[in-house]
Amino acid sequence: MSNMKSNKKELSPKQREELFTTLKARFEKNLNRHKGLDWAKVQARLEANAEKLWSLAEMERTGGEPDVVGVKSGEYVFFDCSTQSPKGRVSFCYDREALDSRKEHKPKNSVVDMAAAMGIELLTEEEYFALQKLGEFDTKSSSWLKTPADIRELGGAIYGDRRYGRVFIGHNGADSYYSGRGFRGSLRV
């Protein structure tokens, strides 16, 4: 039994300390994103949820700059708050079905698969609009969003971006991809 590998996603003590330092600094720098919340309570919740902390580390590692944006149903909500779509999560098609349908020039992954592997969710259209109220995001990039089933069944997927001082939701074939489109995630702790 002692030779079995653990599938638990945990950080080393040093990684935890570095991540907490980064998250706390971001929290304190962007108080407008989480008015009335106390960092000590957020950190205590994270300390009790090692796998969620690992997911935040994955968001950070791939360029997402996760930050607390509120509380919903008693859980702290984190969004990717990088100015542009996270650099480590671009040039993907939407989901496995779209990836498998490509005959050539396949991207390395799909956003749905990568989000699942990271333990996060794609932002919904509603969450994307909420994010954009906190600042200006995706002014040079765009981000795939969680696509409603009826749109996906027709072969499409949706994305969001900010251009001309406005937030737009667009659509594309789920198998399309380009270097400036990635995805933003959300995580509840």
Side-chain angles (χ1 to χ4, degrees), residues 32-33 35 79 126-137 162 167:
N32 64 307
R33 293 180 185 161
K35 291 180 180 146
F79 287 171
E126 178 185 347
E127 289 171 333
Y128 192 75
F129 280 115
L131 172 71
Q132 291 286 1
K133 288 179 181 176
L134 300 174
E136 294 191 2
F137 302 93
R162 179 185 282 273
V167 178

Side-chain angles (χ1 to χ4, degrees), residues 4 24 34 51 68 71 76 81 111 114 129 158:
M4 287 179 54
K24 182 180 181 186
H34 33 257
E51 285 195 42
V68 181
V71 177
Y76 293 106
C81 292
V111 298
M114 187 171 190
F129 280 115
I158 61 172

Side-chain angles (χ1 to χ4, degrees), residues 36-69:
L37 297 183
D38 177 27
W39 172 252
K41 291 179 180 178
V42 174
Q43 183 169 338
R45 179 80 58 90
L46 289 172
E47 286 173 345
N49 290 281
E51 285 195 42
K52 302 268 183 152
L53 191 60
W54 178 87
S55 292
L56 287 173
E58 285 296 287
M59 291 170 81
E60 190 73 36
R61 181 186 64 79
T62 56
E65 299 180 20
D67 196 8
V68 181
V69 296

Side-chain angles (χ1 to χ4, degrees), residues 37-139:
L37 297 183
D38 177 27
W39 172 252
K41 291 179 180 178
V42 174
Q43 183 169 338
R45 179 80 58 90
L46 289 172
E47 286 173 345
N49 290 281
E51 285 195 42
K52 302 268 183 152
L53 191 60
W54 178 87
S55 292
L56 287 173
E58 285 296 287
M59 291 170 81
E60 190 73 36
R61 181 186 64 79
T62 56
E65 299 180 20
D67 196 8
V68 181
V69 296
V71 177
K72 192 164 188 176
S73 301
E75 295 178 303
Y76 293 106
V77 179
F78 285 80
F79 287 171
D80 282 313
C81 292
S82 54
T83 304
Q84 304 303 325
S85 195
K87 290 189 187 293
R89 295 186 243 149
V90 295
S91 302
F92 299 152
C93 58
Y94 184 74
D95 59 12
R96 175 60 50 186
E97 180 183 346
L99 183 62
D100 291 345
S101 75
R102 289 192 66 90
K103 301 294 181 222
E104 54 185 38
H105 308 294
K106 287 188 180 222
K108 59 186 172 190
N109 205 345
S110 78
V111 298
V112 171
D113 288 348
M114 187 171 190
M118 294 171 66
I120 63 175
E121 297 287 330
L122 280 103
L123 290 184
T124 64
E125 192 173 355
E126 178 185 347
E127 289 171 333
Y128 192 75
F129 280 115
L131 172 71
Q132 291 286 1
K133 288 179 181 176
L134 300 174
E136 294 191 2
F137 302 93
D138 287 332
T139 58

